[in-house]
Amino acid sequence: HKAADQGNVEALNEAAWLMATANDPKLRDGVKAVSFAEKAVAATNRKMPSYLDTLAAAYAEAGQYEKAVSVQQEAIAPLKEEGTKRDYASRLKLYQSGSPYREGP
């Protein structure tokens, strides 16, 4: 959190991902995840698909599924690698069905 609070873009993204996708509900915070992810995406001019993926997960955790779907589609558009495309597309389906993404055991 400290590095994220200081504006480290990678730390912002990692903290946002954890707060958006953690299996442990005590670690999740959709509002803070959105805030961190929006800062990371803005700092990279919306050019990093992985940061857009995090922002979409954060929106979903915060219950903002329309935004999650839109941002996830934006994240998928530039992807070339099929495995990554599949991963992102599977999360897109979750958001379209009104479900957040969970990572971990």
Side-chain angles (χ1 to χ4, degrees):
H1 278 282
K2 192 174 181 184
D5 288 337
Q6 294 170 346
N8 177 309
V9 177
E10 196 171 319
L12 281 167
N13 186 65
E14 288 175 16
W17 182 258
L18 179 68
M19 289 185 282
T21 67
N23 229 359
D24 182 348
K26 290 184 280 246
L27 298 175
R28 290 195 305 267
D29 183 337
V31 173
K32 207 169 206 180
V34 167
S35 173
F36 282 16
E38 284 178 338
K39 288 177 187 165
V41 164
T44 55
N45 297 314
R46 303 187 81 84
K47 300 263 186 271
M48 295 277 296
S50 61
Y51 290 9
L52 290 165
D53 183 43
T54 298
L55 179 57
Y59 280 142
E61 175 57 29
Q64 299 177 43
Y65 292 105
E66 279 186 33
K67 284 185 176 180
V69 167
S70 173
V71 172
Q72 193 68 8
Q73 289 169 333
E74 184 181 350
I76 291 168
L79 295 178
K80 305 275 186 267
E81 206 277 308
E82 285 304 316
T84 306
K85 269 188 179 178
R86 272 193 305 278
D87 290 345
Y88 283 33
S90 70
R91 286 192 280 282
L92 176 60
K93 285 185 179 142
L94 282 173
Y95 309 151
Q96 288 169 327
S97 72
S99 297
Y101 173 71
R102 294 288 173 258
E103 192 170 67

